Amino acid sequence: MFQKGEIYLAKLNPKKGNEVGKIRPVLIYQTNILNECEHPTTIILPISTVLIDNAYPLRYRITKRDKLDKTSDVLCDQIRALDNQRILEGFLTKLTYQEILEIDKQVKIVLDIEI
């Protein structure tokens, strides 16, 4: 199944209001404990190719690599659970351990969780 830190394409429509939609890359963000037991939903962070500089802690910049065609921003304030059927086949890339730690730090700030 999925692993935390992997990036796949997912169908995020239909969207409401300011939610991000369409087919876009998403970061698998939930614990591998749930991933390994094939939990029916997956917590993700959407990824955007519309780059906004100086958006800490709302965005984390990742460089293009592997099958992720463009440098992109992980949207740390758009945490969302998806039914696994929305996540498409085709692994794009995986973030490094250091990148995941930095995203964890930013998500904790957004959620007001002690670091």
Side-chain angles (χ1 to χ4, degrees):
M1 204 69 202
F2 310 120
Q3 294 288 306
K4 183 174 182 176
E6 292 179 338
I7 296 175
Y8 291 84
L9 289 177
K11 296 181 270 185
L12 300 184
N13 281 336
K15 72 180 201 91
K16 296 277 187 180
N18 291 315
E19 295 173 348
V20 294
K22 70 183 182 178
I23 294 177
R24 69 173 58 242
V26 297
L27 173 66
I28 305 300
Y29 194 64
Q30 75 185 13
T31 175
N32 285 330
I33 294 168
L34 291 177
N35 293 330
E36 291 164 6
C37 74
E38 297 188 20
H39 192 68
T41 60
T42 300
I43 298 169
I44 60 96
L45 296 175
I47 296 173
S48 176
T49 58
V50 176
L51 304 179
I52 298 178
D53 293 330
N54 302 315
Y56 181 89
L58 303 177
R59 289 173 174 244
Y60 180 80
R61 181 80 36 92
I62 53 174
T63 57
K64 66 179 183 174
R65 63 187 88 167
D66 304 320
K67 293 182 181 177
L68 183 66
D69 294 338
K70 296 180 179 180
T71 296
S72 304
D73 284 348
V74 177
L75 307 179
C76 297
D77 63 331
Q78 294 273 334
I79 301 163
R80 176 170 176 181
L82 296 181
D83 186 281
N84 290 341
Q85 294 178 38
R86 288 183 174 265
I87 301 172
L88 305 175
E89 300 268 333
F91 168 81
L92 298 178
T93 194
K94 183 170 182 160
L95 299 185
T96 67
Y97 180 71
Q98 282 305 120
E99 289 172 317
I100 295 167
L101 286 178
E102 184 56 38
I103 291 169
D104 286 346
K105 180 179 169 185
Q106 290 182 216
V107 168
K108 287 177 182 177
I109 292 169
V110 167
L111 296 176
D112 196 24
I113 296 172
E114 290 293 319
I115 301 176

